[in-house]
Amino acid sequence: MDPELERVFNRAVEAGVKLFDTADSYGTGAGFDGRSETLLGRFLKNCPSDEAKDVILATKLAPFPWRVTSGSFVKAARESAARLQLEKIPLGQLHWSTGNYQPLQEGALWAGIADAYDEGVIGAVGLSNYGPKQLRKIHKYMSARGVPISTLQVQYHLLSRFPELNGTKETCDELGIKLIAYSPLALGLLTGKYSVENPPPGIRGVAYKGVLPPLPTLLETMREVGDAHGGKTLPQVALNWCMCKDTVPIPGAKNMRQLEDNLGSLGWRLSASEIEELDRAAVKVGKSTSQNIFQTS
Ligand SMILES: NC(=O)c1ccc[n+]([C@@H]2O[C@H](COP(=O)([O-])OP(=O)(O)OC[C@H]3O[C@@H](n4cnc5c(N)ncnc54)[C@H](OP(=O)(O)O)[C@@H]3O)[C@@H](O)[C@H]2O)c1
């Protein structure tokens, strides 16, 4: 897929997309070789667009069980920066908290990311899969060290509304942290192409089995709302909803068709009553997509 992905990247940059998100654990195969970061670094370096200078590459550092010292996180950040072909990672994020299963590692994790910021390897610090309680704890630690937390990314979309219901968004607003909505299309479920008869391939089909039966009514409301905006598609409505909720959605696009579709979510806004209508339709589904096992409270 690499040549197609490079075309997708170049077109997205040309269209004004500024933020690209990856992780040191993505696209790695068995060797954890950071292939996704390597590709993204190469795409940016070779990008012909003038807009490329404003692109923010964001990556996530995994708390692998062998990264147990602060130094190992600084080393990981340096290795990511090298793969991205950048001196400094514009946004370096902790991929998840180890609070649920290995709390002792958490201290090294926090110190490591703060050290990477102090040493200039990371330009801005972000988090991922933190809930409001754990977020306050790390915020206290980072504040004491004078390190600002810029972003938190969590699973947020019409089928995963916990961030606005359990105080995550509220806490972010209070602490001046921007919320990034990951999997904003519910891994394709909100595009309307998957159903009970045509489930998503692979593990997605298993994980989302329970959500597929009640999904059609939500999709129908999304369709009606999109039609009222001159035929906006389901993905466009799903992404616009995230933006109207004051979050930054980071949809994945595997080809040019998906990218062009997703770009159509920009430049217009759902009305307040449409957002309420979509919220109500989401409640009627009565089920959420499964949460990341590392998500903390
Ligand atoms: N922090 C974390 O723990 C975490 C976890 C997950 C994701 N993320 C981040 O969130 C980003 C995006 O999330 P995601 O890829 O998981 O889910 P997503 O954006 O909700 O869904 C992306 C998938 O939906 C399909 N799709 C995208 N646009 C489409 C369109 N216009 N029409 C039809 N199908 C379309 C494609 O898959 P198919 O064509 O195969 O259906 C695509 O791979 C990731 O790149 C990652 O950086 C972070």
Side-chain angles (χ1 to χ4, degrees):
M1 292 168 73
D2 297 0
E4 176 72 354
L5 292 180
E6 184 158 20
R7 282 193 291 277
V8 168
F9 178 85
N10 286 339
R11 169 70 189 120
V13 173
E14 184 191 83
V17 172
K18 297 279 181 273
L19 175 69
F20 292 84
D21 178 78
T22 185
D24 61 359
S25 57
Y26 286 176
T28 52
F32 290 116
D33 60 358
R35 178 151 173 77
S36 175
E37 290 180 333
T38 303
L39 283 178
L40 209 46
R42 191 192 304 160
F43 293 170
L44 181 59
K45 188 145 200 203
N46 296 336
C47 183
S49 171
D50 289 343
E51 310 286 334
K53 61 182 184 327
D54 299 324
V55 162
I56 298 166
L57 294 188
T59 195
K60 302 185 284 293
L61 303 172
F64 290 130
W66 52 90
R67 290 180 181 165
V68 286
T69 61
S70 55
S72 59
F73 283 97
V74 177
K75 183 169 171 282
R78 285 193 197 287
E79 287 167 358
S80 285
R83 285 190 290 269
L84 294 169
Q85 302 192 44
L86 297 170
E87 268 176 38
K88 186 184 274 200
I89 302 166
L91 178 62
Q93 307 155 103
L94 280 181
H95 203 153
W96 65 83
S97 161
T98 60
N100 287 345
Y101 64 98
Q102 184 58 277
L104 285 180
Q105 196 184 357
E106 191 84 353
L109 207 66
W110 296 359
I113 294 293
D115 288 351
Y117 176 84
D118 284 344
E119 291 176 29
V121 192
I122 285 175
V125 169
L127 308 171
S128 179
N129 297 308
Y130 274 70
K133 209 167 123 203
Q134 198 71 358
L135 181 58
R136 283 195 187 278
K137 286 189 198 163
I138 186 171
H139 183 265
K140 196 171 164 198
Y141 172 86
M142 291 293 173
S143 296
R145 287 202 47 175
V147 176
I149 299 172
S150 299
T151 58
L152 167 65
Q153 65 166 275
V154 287
Q155 187 184 163
Y156 183 57
H157 48 74
L158 273 158
L159 293 169
S160 171
R161 292 179 57 211
F162 78 91
E164 61 176 311
L165 304 175
N166 76 351
T168 303
K169 175 73 171 75
E170 227 175 338
T171 309
C172 282
D173 289 346
E174 184 194 321
L175 302 178
I177 297 169
K178 188 76 192 172
L179 201 72
I180 294 179
Y182 80 62
S183 301
L185 300 171
L187 287 108
L189 250 62
L190 293 174
T191 68
K193 67 180 176 184
Y194 296 124
S195 60
V196 174
E197 296 75 32
N198 178 36
I203 195 160
R204 282 185 286 175
V206 181
Y208 290 166
K209 212 172 164 195
V211 190
L212 286 171
L215 191 57
T217 42
L218 171 61
L219 298 181
E220 192 45 44
T221 304
M222 292 171 70
R223 209 165 276 124
E224 283 165 18
V225 167
D227 285 349
H229 283 270
K232 293 293 177 194
T233 64
L234 268 58
Q236 292 165 357
V237 171
L239 297 175
N240 201 280
W241 178 89
C242 290
M243 289 185 270
C244 288
K245 295 276 184 169
D246 188 33
T247 70
V248 179
I250 47 168
K254 284 180 174 161
N255 53 48
M256 288 294 263
R257 196 199 56 72
Q258 292 183 355
L259 172 71
E260 293 294 350
D261 191 1
N262 297 344
L263 285 173
S265 63
L266 298 168
W268 60 283
R269 276 186 95 79
L270 294 161
S271 69
S273 63
E274 287 166 338
I275 294 166
E276 279 173 25
E277 205 182 330
L278 289 165
D279 288 354
R280 277 196 300 274
V283 171
K284 274 192 201 146
V285 172
K287 284 198 162 78
S288 296
T289 51
S290 47
Q291 289 310 313
N292 192 304
I293 50 164
F294 299 124
Q295 175 66 45
T296 55
S297 58

